[in-house]
Amino acid sequence: MSTERGKGTVAIVGGAGAVGSSTAFALMESSLVGEIVLVDVAKERVEGEAMDLNHGSYFTSPVRVRTGDYEDCWDADVVIVTAGASQKPDETRLDLMERNADIFADMIPQITEGLNDDAVMLIVTNPVDVLSYVTWKVSDLPAERVIGSGTVLDTSRFRHSLSREFDLDPANVHAYVVGEHGDSEVLVWSSANLGGIPFESYATRHGVGDVDALKARVEEEVREAAYEIIERKERTNYGVARSVAATTERILGGDNSILTVSTLVSGEHGIDDVYMSLPCTVNQGGVRDVHEFDLSAAETAALRESASVIRESIDRLDVE
């Protein structure tokens, strides 16, 4: 349990990996976290990560970092799962599916066997939508307490790209990426706005002659971002760690923030029984509400196609 009253305990399964350890580092800055438990099959490596992180605790909000096993997740407020096979260069997220689904089928029941009734599972391992669904199925947890990191990072990439194009603070850019966290994700241009001004109006007013060309360039940049990073450094970790830490803080703080996490979709936009990203209200119970917002006809079709991609992958796994 947390060593600091009023602060939460976060367990990170896969804590010795690049994403897990980077997430722990990001969470050490949070005033909402009192204890971080790192769990990993690489025992010596994870012990080294805990030692290294603890040596920097003098410079952060008071937080204890320790190692543990699956049963040490049971008292956590949030269990973050980053464990699994890593994405290789030229490998799509869905190519990882069968390898990681087998890992999850064995691992998740051990994590959730004695999990407290209020804990939230936050899945980060790719393909995150499929593995979030697998986690929900093998854990018997309520769907609202099993969420995936989804397109929170993709949404940040979208906003960053637009902010750079127009030399704006990203806080003034409002735009979402929905659907699969992967190649079929949907950038929602119809509701994108900069300082409250619809995207196309803002672009035209600021001298963009070919708006469609700008859209195509931004879409390629957002969709290819992970592949570009992996080609150069073999992994992505800092951006995803920041997005996961931010999501964890929203859960612990009970802020009722709207984030594009991956959640069970049950009828929204004509889609059913898949995990995918839509704007969701997130708080201490996980997902409170799933928001069905206005999309253009083309965006709706693309979102349903994205759901089909995920559904086909789930069906190949024959998840019971």
Side-chain angles (χ1 to χ4, degrees):
M1 298 296 285
S2 171
T3 57
E4 190 85 5
R5 176 175 288 185
K7 292 189 175 186
T9 296
V10 177
I12 303 176
V13 181
V19 172
S21 58
S22 296
T23 299
F25 182 79
L27 284 170
M28 287 188 72
E29 298 291 338
S30 174
S31 62
L32 298 174
V33 178
E35 182 177 59
I36 300 171
V37 183
L38 303 180
V39 180
D40 205 291
V41 294
K43 298 297 186 182
E44 287 194 5
R45 173 69 182 270
V46 78
E47 288 172 359
E49 295 290 356
M51 291 171 64
D52 198 5
L53 289 164
N54 274 318
H55 293 164
S57 61
Y58 173 79
F59 307 103
T60 68
S61 176
V63 58
R64 176 193 181 199
V65 183
R66 66 179 179 89
T67 62
D69 295 310
Y70 291 138
E71 58 265 30
D72 292 284
C73 298
W74 296 350
D75 289 331
D77 299 292
V78 181
V79 179
I80 301 169
V81 181
T82 65
S86 299
Q87 187 175 1
K88 300 176 182 178
D90 300 323
E91 183 179 43
T92 69
R93 295 179 179 97
L94 291 178
D95 288 335
L96 289 171
M97 179 180 63
E98 290 187 3
R99 286 193 291 156
N100 281 335
D102 288 341
I103 293 171
F104 269 54
D106 176 67
M107 174 179 66
I108 295 299
Q110 297 182 69
I111 296 171
T112 58
E113 177 185 351
L115 201 63
N116 78 82
D117 291 339
D118 298 318
V120 173
M121 297 282 295
L122 175 54
I123 309 304
V124 183
T125 312
N126 281 316
V128 68
D129 304 295
V130 175
L131 294 178
S132 296
Y133 186 92
V134 170
T135 299
W136 171 57
K137 282 292 189 178
V138 303
S139 69
D140 291 326
L141 292 173
E144 62 270 17
R145 288 174 51 209
V146 177
I147 65 179
S149 53
T151 58
V152 175
L153 177 57
D154 307 85
T155 292
S156 177
R157 288 170 172 158
F158 188 15
R159 295 178 181 186
H160 169 74
S161 183
L162 289 177
S163 71
R164 194 187 62 249
E165 289 284 346
F166 295 102
D167 192 22
L168 287 173
D169 183 336
N172 298 125
V173 179
H174 302 278
Y176 292 107
V177 178
V178 296
E180 178 201 6
H181 173 57
D183 299 335
S184 70
E185 64 188 19
V186 180
L187 281 69
V188 184
W189 291 101
S190 61
S191 63
N193 71 83
L194 297 90
I197 302 170
F199 165 74
E200 294 205 8
S201 296
Y202 192 97
T204 301
R205 293 179 193 179
H206 288 77
V208 177
D210 191 340
V211 175
D212 288 337
L214 172 59
K215 285 183 177 180
R217 184 170 70 251
V218 169
E219 292 215 11
E220 181 178 8
E221 182 177 313
V222 173
R223 286 202 177 94
E224 296 297 317
Y227 297 121
E228 293 282 343
I229 295 169
I230 290 169
E231 182 178 347
R232 288 164 172 79
K233 56 171 276 191
E234 299 184 350
R235 65 181 62 84
T236 60
N237 56 303
Y238 298 125
V240 65
R242 280 295 185 191
S243 68
V244 172
T247 302
T248 303
E249 287 190 311
R250 301 310 187 275
I251 295 169
L252 292 174
D255 294 338
N256 292 322
S257 296
I258 294 179
L259 298 171
T260 52
V261 295
S262 185
T263 190
L264 183 67
V265 179
S266 303
E268 290 83 4
H269 300 289
I271 299 165
D272 193 48
D273 196 35
V274 295
Y275 261 73
M276 65 189 302
S277 291
L278 289 173
C280 298
T281 302
V282 176
N283 62 19
Q284 289 174 329
V287 169
R288 190 190 72 181
D289 300 303
V290 181
H291 300 287
E292 185 174 12
F293 62 151
D294 292 337
L295 298 172
S296 69
E299 289 165 349
T300 298
L303 184 64
R304 290 174 179 170
E305 177 59 30
S306 187
S308 296
V309 169
I310 300 167
R311 183 71 251 175
E312 288 171 8
S313 298
I314 292 170
D315 289 343
R316 286 202 296 270
L317 292 176
D318 193 27
V319 180
E320 295 295 337

